[in-house]
Amino acid sequence: MTVSVDDFVKTIYKQSVLAKADTKLSTISGLLNVSNAATTDMARKLAQKGLVNYTKYKPLTLTNEGEKLALNVLRKHRLWETFLFQTLGLSLYEIHQEAENLEHFTSDFLAGKIEEYLGNPETTPQGAPIPSFNGQIHVDSSQLLLSEAEAGVTYEVSRLSGSEKDFLDFCRSNGITIGAEINIEKQYLSGKMTEITIDKSKILLHEDVANIIYVRRLVNH
Amino acid sequence: MTVSVDDFVKTIYKQSVLAKADTKLSTISGLLNVSNAATTDMARKLAQKGLVNYTKYKPLTLTNEGEKLALNVLRKHRLWETFLFQTLGLSLYEIHQEAENLEHFTSDFLAGKIEEYLGNPETTPQGAPIPSFNGQIHVDSSQLLLSEAEAGVTYEVSRLSGSEKDFLDFCRSNGITIGAEINIEKQYLSGKMTEITIDKSKILLHEDVANIIYVRRLVNH
DNA sequence: ACACAAATTTAAGTTTACTTAAATTTGCAG
DNA sequence: CTGCAAATTTAAGTAAACTTAAATTTGTGT
């Protein structure tokens, strides 16, 4: 498979798991930074290869085959991220950039070796689940978005689901790291803003941030 | 730089360091598995980019800039080989295949991190020198080809300069590994065949093999 | 139910990295 | 120093992955 095919199915996959998010052709074009015409062409081509379900003017969806490919690319991406962080000591931001390139040129064999070396981790350092070789992905139903968390309750951070430098820098400099304890003070306008306490300091989070941080309710609180 | 540019300069570089080997356009085409027409096109293009010296009908050579690029690609290739062997435990044959893919998508930054992690190794597990970031490559003048070694003298294996599975399998199953001691029994037809003793067994090597194994004279023998 | 803006598709064209086949140049044998 | 084979270049064409611009389809508002 080529880089553009990998990226195409990966993008549709990511978009489709964001439950309410649509897979409109123009959304995919936007995420891939290509014209709609290019996306139409690619959709046709991959429909013919049995990776994408394509009907003119309809949203794009993956076939089982296509989803399998997407998960395999995601698997390699996340194994690299974990490896680059744990073994080579790159930062959370750096690992994303490098993994983005390496993922397309990693054999299944090598991916398996990395996984084994790491001791079969369930998630990346940002808390993202790593799909298994046969396309299984462990969905942690105990976690929810910070924007949907309940006021007055204490949670622990379980996943930082963003790869922008700004976002990761912001999280780190405010102590928002995997495992950190967060108390929800108040939700404003049903999640448009979320006020939290972390390390005794109060922060007001914009929904753009609270929508990509997952938390898990702490049992002993 | 694209994969084809990387591979083009890498191939010219490798060919030109094989002292007597020529860099005829058709030789390069052969090694890259493309037509002569494709090589002519690429040569023109890279001449314009200042990487290759190109004069119609003349052999291909690299500019300083081109050699720098070739060494940088080779550096990444060899760092990956060393890493995949030492850290992830792949075989000598497997590392070549994987490194061939990864080398083109590795940032200078990541290469540096790998180098650091490995403790700045001088050579790969096959004994090939690893170019430094600034394009320096340590040529070990104490080593020579097995086909040019002197009869009656004992050497140690210092480099296996081939990446074919057959070759590496042959070496391993006959104890020809880096550091192994070899006694030269006799050179036939000035290196066309080389008779050696290793681990007390006598082997007659064809020049194809003796021309890609480097040895170093042992001082205490 | 119809008009019209937004989304999508089609058409035509570009660049990169190739191909084959024909034309040209080189260098060597006699 | 001529003639010819081998090497190289030129010419023309292909496939992938894009682009912009024009044409078409969809769905929403009244």
Side-chain angles (χ1 to χ4, degrees), chain B residues 66-81:
Chain B
E67 187 167 318
K68 225 158 136 188
L69 176 58
L71 282 165
N72 197 239
V73 177
L74 210 56
R75 164 180 163 78
K76 286 167 185 173
H77 181 93
R78 291 182 178 169
L79 282 170
W80 274 120
E81 283 192 329

Side-chain angles (χ1 to χ4, degrees), chain B residues 25-26 37 40 44 54 56-57:
Chain B
L25 190 138
S26 55
T40 301
R44 260 194 213 307
Y54 176 65
K56 274 190 187 184
Y57 302 105

Side-chain angles (χ1 to χ4, degrees), chain A:
Chain A
M1 289 300 142
T2 65
V3 173
S4 34
V5 171
D6 281 359
D7 283 341
F8 193 82
V9 296
K10 198 178 73 169
T11 302
I12 296 176
Y13 176 81
K14 278 169 125 178
Q15 200 56 14
S16 71
V17 290
L18 299 179
K20 26 193 158 163
D22 55 23
T23 50
K24 270 173 54 183
L25 190 137
S26 54
T27 307
I28 305 300
S29 305
L31 292 167
L32 288 170
N33 256 302
V34 299
S35 67
N36 288 334
T39 303
T40 301
D41 279 1
M42 187 60 107
R44 260 196 212 305
K45 199 184 98 186
L46 296 196
Q48 227 223 301
K49 284 197 176 183
L51 296 171
V52 168
N53 298 123
Y54 176 65
T55 315
K56 273 190 189 183
Y57 303 105
K58 291 271 183 295
L60 300 171
T61 62
L62 295 176
T63 62
N64 284 349
E65 195 70 8
E67 186 166 318
K68 227 159 136 185
L69 175 57
L71 282 165
N72 196 239
V73 177
L74 210 55
R75 164 180 162 78
K76 287 167 185 174
H77 181 93
R78 291 182 177 170
L79 283 170
W80 274 121
E81 285 194 328
T82 309
F83 186 77
L84 295 173
F85 184 83
Q86 278 186 20
T87 307
L88 295 184
L90 305 220
S91 75
L92 284 187
Y93 171 64
E94 291 157 352
I95 62 178
H96 179 74
Q97 305 301 307
E98 303 288 349
E100 201 67 27
N101 294 323
L102 298 174
E103 62 184 10
H104 309 294
F105 304 94
T106 306
S107 66
D108 290 346
F109 168 74
L110 178 56
K113 285 287 186 174
I114 296 172
E115 185 173 42
E116 196 185 311
Y117 177 80
L118 293 170
N120 305 297
E122 296 243 307
T123 69
T124 67
Q126 308 98 321
I130 299 173
S132 69
F133 175 64
N134 49 323
Q136 306 241 239
I137 187 162
H138 186 277
V139 186
D140 184 348
S141 58
S142 71
Q143 58 186 3
L144 69 165
L145 287 173
L146 197 47
S147 57
E148 290 161 357
E150 198 178 325
V153 177
T154 302
Y155 295 87
E156 67 168 350
V157 177
S158 62
R159 179 171 176 190
L160 302 176
S161 180
S163 46
E164 303 238 325
K165 188 168 186 335
D166 280 356
F167 168 66
L168 292 167
D169 282 351
F170 171 80
C171 288
R172 196 159 58 122
S173 64
N174 284 286
I176 304 173
T177 57
I178 303 297
E181 286 190 18
I182 285 185
N183 192 66
I184 312 296
E185 295 297 326
K186 194 165 171 15
Q187 294 284 6
Y188 294 94
L189 305 163
S190 54
K192 283 242 177 297
M193 289 187 335
T194 304
E195 191 176 47
I196 65 171
T197 315
I198 184 161
D199 287 339
K200 299 194 170 134
S201 56
K202 233 177 229 176
I203 315 176
L204 191 57
L205 299 175
H206 186 274
E207 61 175 334
D208 286 357
V209 173
N211 271 330
I212 51 178
I213 297 175
Y214 288 87
V215 293
R216 197 180 290 120
R217 198 174 189 128
L218 277 175
V219 199
N220 308 323
H221 282 262

Side-chain angles (χ1 to χ4, degrees), chain B residues 68-189:
Chain B
K68 225 158 136 188
L69 176 58
L71 282 165
N72 197 239
V73 177
L74 210 56
R75 164 180 163 78
K76 286 167 185 173
H77 181 93
R78 291 182 178 169
L79 282 170
W80 274 120
E81 283 192 329
T82 309
F83 186 77
L84 295 173
F85 183 83
Q86 278 186 20
T87 307
L88 295 184
L90 305 220
S91 75
L92 285 187
Y93 170 63
E94 289 157 352
I95 61 178
H96 179 74
Q97 305 301 306
E98 303 287 349
E100 201 66 27
N101 294 324
L102 299 174
E103 62 183 11
H104 310 294
F105 304 94
T106 306
S107 66
D108 290 345
F109 169 74
L110 178 56
K113 285 288 186 174
I114 296 172
E115 185 174 42
E116 194 184 313
Y117 177 81
L118 293 170
N120 306 296
E122 295 244 308
T123 69
T124 68
Q126 308 98 322
I130 300 173
S132 71
F133 175 64
N134 49 322
Q136 306 241 238
I137 187 162
H138 187 276
V139 186
D140 183 348
S141 57
S142 71
Q143 57 186 4
L144 69 165
L145 287 172
L146 198 46
S147 57
E148 290 162 355
E150 197 180 326
V153 177
T154 302
Y155 294 87
E156 68 168 349
V157 177
S158 62
R159 179 169 176 192
L160 302 175
S161 180
S163 46
E164 303 237 325
K165 189 168 187 337
D166 280 356
F167 168 66
L168 292 167
D169 282 351
F170 170 80
C171 288
R172 196 159 59 119
S173 64
N174 284 285
I176 303 174
T177 56
I178 303 297
E181 285 190 17
I182 284 186
N183 191 65
I184 312 296
E185 296 296 326
K186 195 165 171 11
Q187 295 284 7
Y188 295 93
L189 306 161

